[in-house]
Amino acid sequence: NAGVTQTPKFQVLKTGQSMTLQCAQDMNHEYMSWYRQDPGMGLRLIHYSVGAGITDQGEVPNGYNVSRSTTEDFPLRLLSAAPSQTSVYFCASSYSRTDLALAGNTDTQYFGPGTRLTVL
Amino acid sequence: GQNIDQPTEMTATEGAIVQINCTYQTSGFNGLFWYQQHAGEAPTFLSYNVLDGLEEKGRFSSFLSRSKGYSYLLLKELQMKDSASYLCAVMDSNYQLIWGAGTKLIIKP
């Protein structure tokens, strides 16, 4: 299993450009999410999906769109990039949202390697 | 609002013991997680507590007191490879994870 994969690893955009960050998992996980990580702040949830065809907003959804046409893929689209979107983006997946609460000592949430995005 | 507090940075010596604290105020509680994150890498799962008490896993232990909104991660026999950030996260009543900003742990020889 490849786990959770993200592309690209690094990206530089100009203000106003649009792009899509790709995320895929091969573990048949229902729950997928996108976070951004900024210095001095905790991971912040952008959007999440509890299954194919279902998406919902997280804490900081403005400026981002997502879709979930298949169980495996959960792309994040930046509509019109702004310098405030300079960040590290992580995609994560697990069997279900509530599965995290039933984890016990089991590692059930997996993160992708991250995409480092700079908007000039 | 929801809030997770942990120290920004800590320094410890190789071979020693260090305790990283985490206090939280959240809307409901469905468990507390600790993750390790090396610089430039993704977070990786360390531990999960949902009941009060101590969970031990090798050199790492995690403690939870729900009444005090408090947890700590205890790292024993520190190794240089333990230099990383340690993230505390709480799952709230909506099963959403609320993350602390992380504690950067520096290990000195």
Side-chain angles (χ1 to χ4, degrees):
Chain A
N1 286 352
V4 181
T5 59
Q6 286 183 239
T7 57
K9 289 190 176 180
F10 300 94
Q11 183 69 50
V12 178
L13 292 177
K14 295 181 179 179
T15 297
Q17 287 184 313
S18 64
M19 78 158 294
T20 300
L21 308 185
Q22 301 292 342
C23 174
Q25 51 88 13
D26 60 358
M27 297 173 282
N28 203 31
H29 284 172
E30 292 295 326
Y31 183 72
M32 297 185 73
S33 54
W34 276 101
Y35 290 95
R36 60 178 289 173
Q37 187 175 38
D38 300 294
M41 302 184 71
L43 288 162
R44 291 185 290 169
L45 184 65
I46 304 171
H47 285 285
Y48 65 94
S49 169
V50 297
I54 306 170
T55 63
D56 208 343
Q57 297 181 349
E59 180 186 355
V60 287
N62 292 342
Y64 308 94
N65 273 354
V66 291
S67 59
R68 186 90 181 272
S69 56
T70 67
T71 299
E72 295 77 20
D73 300 297
F74 190 45
L76 176 73
R77 183 166 180 81
L78 279 70
L79 308 172
S80 177
S84 61
Q85 293 179 305
T86 294
S87 187
V88 180
Y89 292 84
F90 288 103
C91 178
S93 76
S94 63
Y95 285 104
S96 71
R97 187 199 304 187
T98 56
D99 189 60
L100 291 178
L102 302 174
N105 284 322
T106 301
D107 177 5
T108 60
Q109 176 162 251
Y110 301 87
F111 282 84
T115 295
R116 284 145 188 82
L117 176 67
T118 300
V119 182
L120 304 175
Chain B
Q2 308 202 91
N3 195 48
I4 311 286
D5 285 318
Q6 46 181 136
T8 302
E9 186 174 298
M10 300 182 69
T11 302
T13 305
E14 189 177 15
I17 299 173
V18 70
Q19 177 175 310
I20 302 173
N21 295 326
C22 171
T23 58
Y24 63 88
Q25 288 181 305
T26 57
S27 302
F29 180 83
N30 277 306
L32 185 143
F33 295 77
W34 284 97
Y35 280 78
Q36 181 189 60
Q37 185 177 27
H38 285 100
E41 298 183 8
T44 55
F45 172 84
L46 282 179
S47 69
Y48 170 73
N49 295 68
V50 67
L51 300 176
D52 289 352
L54 187 68
E55 295 278 346
E56 297 187 76
K57 192 187 287 188
R59 295 189 297 114
F60 293 6
S61 302
S62 56
F63 172 83
L64 175 67
S65 169
R66 288 172 298 172
S67 63
K68 294 182 179 179
Y70 167 71
S71 172
Y72 67 72
L73 180 69
L74 191 72
L75 290 73
K76 304 175 185 176
E77 302 170 13
L78 286 170
Q79 302 175 9
M80 297 303 294
K81 68 179 182 179
D82 297 329
S83 292
S85 288
Y86 291 85
L87 313 180
C88 174
V90 173
M91 180 165 283
D92 68 11
S93 57
N94 293 320
Y95 293 95
Q96 297 287 18
L97 281 173
I98 311 300
W99 295 81
T103 299
K104 182 178 181 180
L105 178 63
I106 300 169
I107 309 296
K108 295 186 174 180

